[in-house]
């Protein structure tokens, strides 16, 4: 048999970082969604009148989810660098990085306005 220089078939991974990156993207999205829900709940007019306990819990959830999203952003940045060094496309890691930075960008926008 002669060598034609053909590459073996791929392992089935479409460029994106694999299952770990997709799971991390889902976690980052969940944390961002909880942040926005908590931020809305803290500023909701009628929520505090009906149940002060949930309004208080949501006000504590805002900084906790904000810091969790910053931690996710740092981990997504590390995942992006590692995936790039392995010469694989880091699309899912970059998506997770953007989703993780949404709460910080939102608070920056609220602070500037």
């Amino acid at each position: 048999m002669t060598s034609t220089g053909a590459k073996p078939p791929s392992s089935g991974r479409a460029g994106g970082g694999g299952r770990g990156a997709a799971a991390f993207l889902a976690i980052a999205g969940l944390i961002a969604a909880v942040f926005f829900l908590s931020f809305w709940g803290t500023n909701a007019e009628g929520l505090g009148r009906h149940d002060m306990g949930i309004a208080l819990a949501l006000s504590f959830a805002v900084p906790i989810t904000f810091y969790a999203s910053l931690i996710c952003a740092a981990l997504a940045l590390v995942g992006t660098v590692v995936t790039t060094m392995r010469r694989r496309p880091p699309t899912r890691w970059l998506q997770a990085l953007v989703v993780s930075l949404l709460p910080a960008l939102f608070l920056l926008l609220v602070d500037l306005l």
Side-chain angles (χ1 to χ4, degrees):
M1 301 207 122
T2 61
S3 174
T4 60
K7 294 181 181 178
S10 67
S11 63
R13 285 187 185 177
R19 281 182 247 151
F24 194 78
L25 176 60
I27 290 170
L30 182 67
I31 290 173
V34 170
F35 169 80
F36 286 115
L37 176 74
S38 300
F39 192 83
W40 168 81
T42 301
N43 297 319
E45 287 286 327
L47 191 61
R49 273 188 250 139
H50 294 295
D51 188 6
M52 191 60 180
I54 194 166
L56 188 62
L58 290 176
S59 68
F60 281 118
V62 170
I64 291 171
T65 54
F66 176 71
Y67 289 127
S69 70
L70 289 181
I71 291 169
C72 282
L75 292 175
L77 184 63
V78 169
T80 302
V81 170
V82 168
T83 306
T84 304
M85 289 176 66
R86 291 183 179 177
R87 303 204 186 275
R88 293 185 180 151
T91 53
R92 293 266 191 251
W93 288 109
L94 288 173
Q95 290 170 350
L97 180 63
V98 169
V99 168
S100 297
L101 288 176
L102 283 177
L105 293 174
F106 176 75
L107 287 181
L108 182 67
L109 181 70
V110 167
D111 190 41
L112 290 176
L113 296 177

